[in-house]
Amino acid sequence: MVYIKSQRELDIMRQAGRLVAQILTELSQLVKPGTKLSDLDKKAEQLSVAVGGSPAFKGYMGYKYSLCTSVNEQVVHGIPSDRALKEGDIVGLDFGLLFNGLYSDSAVTVPVGQISKQATQLLRTTMQALYAAINTATPGKTLKDVGRAIEQVVNPHGYGIVREFVGHGIGTRLHEDPQIPNFEAAAPNLKLKPGMTLAFEPMINVGTADVKILDDRWTAVSVDGSLSAHYEHTIAITEDDAEVFTEWDNLYFNGILDHLES
Ligand code: CO
């Protein structure tokens, strides 16, 4: 069941989304060689409370943290341990906020100092894939159209599009229907309508698309150990296009990704 949100719900999700974007921006600015993942998690929790919300992931299916931190070959759901980031790493920061009864959810992958050409290309492409999906998401288009738009950006690079994890509806719950594959799935095919609120979140590997879960039972990694990136926005379908609730104002990723054409 895909819920159409009321104007009031959309207003709250818009506020939640802006806060998520601000918090992710602040966390991204703390990313540098030596930063501990656990410190980013603590900061995420503090900021959630400071803005009058609560961290969406903490307690979700037994997850103990406010933030997911996925380094290098980690795809998603990386645990914010005491590991310190190193120059040349990339780190995915995935964060959701519950605010006045509604959720917004967003993720960025951030470079740690100078990163390789391969890593830069992967981040660029993954972000382009996200915006291609968003630009396709107008009323009357379908989830197949969204998946195809992502494939058209990613496939020419030969990267693997992760299939085990998908985007999702979002609203009064963190995960609502529909599931949103980041590729052109066979079925079902949902038509987009104004008032739908969706989290698009392509996860892209340099190598094979296959992932496995580590013994911690959370961290998903690429099976071939290749680099992986993830960007996510919460959006609403409007009367004529899509509104991004979690737009990262001035999030320039240390200057590396600042001129992305969408
Ligand atoms: Co999500």
Side-chain angles (χ1 to χ4, degrees):
M1 171 89 191
V2 179
Y3 296 103
I4 301 300
K5 269 68 179 187
S6 66
Q7 225 27 264
R8 180 190 153 271
E9 289 173 313
L10 293 171
D11 283 344
I12 295 172
M13 288 185 70
R14 183 179 294 112
Q15 292 174 51
R18 195 172 302 129
L19 293 168
V20 165
Q22 285 168 1
I23 290 171
L24 273 180
T25 300
E26 196 159 336
L27 296 175
S28 300
Q29 287 162 349
L30 297 173
V31 167
K32 41 179 84 71
T35 301
K36 281 188 186 166
L37 301 175
S38 51
D39 290 337
L40 296 172
D41 176 63
K42 281 184 207 129
K43 190 77 187 175
E45 177 157 17
Q46 282 169 10
L47 292 170
S48 303
V49 175
V51 300
S54 52
F57 303 165
K58 195 166 183 171
Y60 183 83
M61 311 244 303
Y63 191 71
K64 293 196 180 69
Y65 308 93
S66 302
L67 186 70
C68 296
T69 51
S70 306
V71 182
N72 296 338
E73 79 287 356
Q74 299 179 354
V75 178
V76 284
H77 304 165
I79 298 225
S81 67
D82 287 333
R83 175 177 180 171
L85 292 167
K86 295 206 307 274
E87 176 95 16
D89 286 343
I90 57 173
V91 59
L93 305 178
D94 189 347
F95 175 72
L97 187 75
L98 174 60
F99 183 76
N100 289 344
L102 287 130
Y103 289 92
S104 278
D105 184 10
S106 178
V108 294
T109 303
V110 185
V112 184
Q114 287 294 322
I115 59 172
S116 67
K117 279 214 172 67
Q118 182 191 59
T120 305
Q121 175 84 278
L122 175 69
L123 299 196
R124 238 178 234 289
T125 304
T126 307
M127 193 186 290
Q128 280 169 348
L130 172 60
Y131 281 94
I134 293 168
N135 290 334
T136 303
T138 58
K141 291 287 185 59
T142 67
L143 291 183
K144 262 193 225 260
D145 295 323
V146 170
R148 191 180 313 114
I150 293 171
E151 288 200 49
Q152 279 169 356
V153 170
V154 175
N155 288 349
H157 294 275
Y159 295 154
I161 300 178
V162 172
R163 302 171 84 87
E164 277 89 342
F165 299 100
V166 295
H168 51 95
I170 180 168
T172 54
R173 287 181 300 143
L174 177 61
H175 293 142
E176 298 183 348
D177 288 342
Q179 295 199 12
I180 307 174
N182 294 299
F183 52 91
E184 193 177 343
N189 194 22
L190 178 83
K191 198 180 263 195
L192 300 177
K193 291 202 186 72
M196 288 181 178
T197 47
L198 307 170
F200 288 173
E201 49 178 322
M203 290 146 267
I204 309 297
N205 299 345
V206 165
T208 162
D210 297 333
V211 302
K212 64 176 183 194
I213 310 293
L214 298 185
D215 287 340
D216 63 22
R217 301 179 58 221
W218 280 101
T219 312
V221 299
S222 61
V223 291
D224 62 0
S226 66
L227 285 181
S228 184
H230 175 213
Y231 291 92
E232 175 177 17
H233 269 315
T234 295
I235 69 159
I237 307 300
T238 67
E239 293 301 325
D240 36 35
D241 55 11
E243 176 182 352
V244 179
F245 284 160
T246 46
E247 195 66 81
W248 317 295
D249 305 319
N250 298 316
L251 184 55
Y252 285 140
F253 302 100
N254 307 339
I256 292 173
L257 300 169
D258 49 356
H259 295 300
L260 285 175
E261 65 284 15
S262 53

